[in-house]
Amino acid sequence: QVKVVESGGGLVQPGGSLRLSCTASDIPFRITDMGWFRQIPGKQRELVAQITSIGTTDYTDSVKGRFTISRDNSKKMVFLQMSSLKPEDTALYLCNVNNSFLETYWGQGTQVTVSS
């Protein structure tokens, strides 16, 4: 059974930090790109950060310099370290996993709320 599970979300004050984790299980074929998206109700899902199997990263402009994506290939995990958080970062953060057969898998998401 394919499983993609996120953790680490929560309520944080502006300027604070959070680290999100995602673990992928029973993904067929080889895992390639992994990434984080965020979803705000009524808005388009937005790519936040992605990382290739060899560590090449890409970020949306609004999080550059504040967020860092990383991965552990042995553990089949991907992380998102978020710093200097802003209220506009509030969203459901979803983990995305891709494989060499061009299949994509999603977690259920973890909620991040940035508020005083």
Side-chain angles (χ1 to χ4, degrees):
Q1 180 183 4
V2 171
K3 187 187 298 183
V4 178
V5 180
E6 306 97 332
S7 64
L11 175 64
V12 64
Q13 295 185 4
S17 299
L18 284 174
R19 189 186 76 140
L20 307 184
S21 299
C22 173
T23 302
S25 302
D26 296 327
I27 304 296
F29 303 98
R30 187 181 78 255
I31 294 176
T32 55
D33 296 346
M34 306 177 82
W36 291 93
F37 289 68
R38 60 189 180 189
Q39 180 74 58
I40 299 171
K43 304 292 184 181
Q44 289 272 353
R45 183 173 295 180
E46 175 190 32
L47 173 67
V48 178
Q50 62 183 1
I51 184 167
T52 71
S53 60
I54 61 170
T56 302
T57 60
D58 191 27
Y59 301 89
T60 191
D61 286 344
S62 63
V63 309
K64 287 180 179 177
R66 301 188 297 120
F67 291 11
T68 301
I69 189 170
S70 60
R71 65 191 283 167
D72 185 326
N73 291 332
S74 296
K75 297 180 179 179
K76 298 181 176 64
M77 296 184 71
V78 62
F79 309 91
L80 186 67
Q81 178 66 51
M82 306 185 294
S83 300
S84 302
L85 283 161
K86 305 174 180 180
E88 51 262 47
D89 294 318
T90 296
L92 182 72
Y93 283 73
L94 297 142
C95 181
N96 173 248
V97 181
N98 301 280
N99 70 7
S100 60
F101 203 60
L102 302 182
E103 297 171 318
T104 189
Y105 302 91
W106 296 91
Q108 293 297 306
T110 185
Q111 179 68 36
V112 172
T113 302
V114 185
S115 176
S116 297

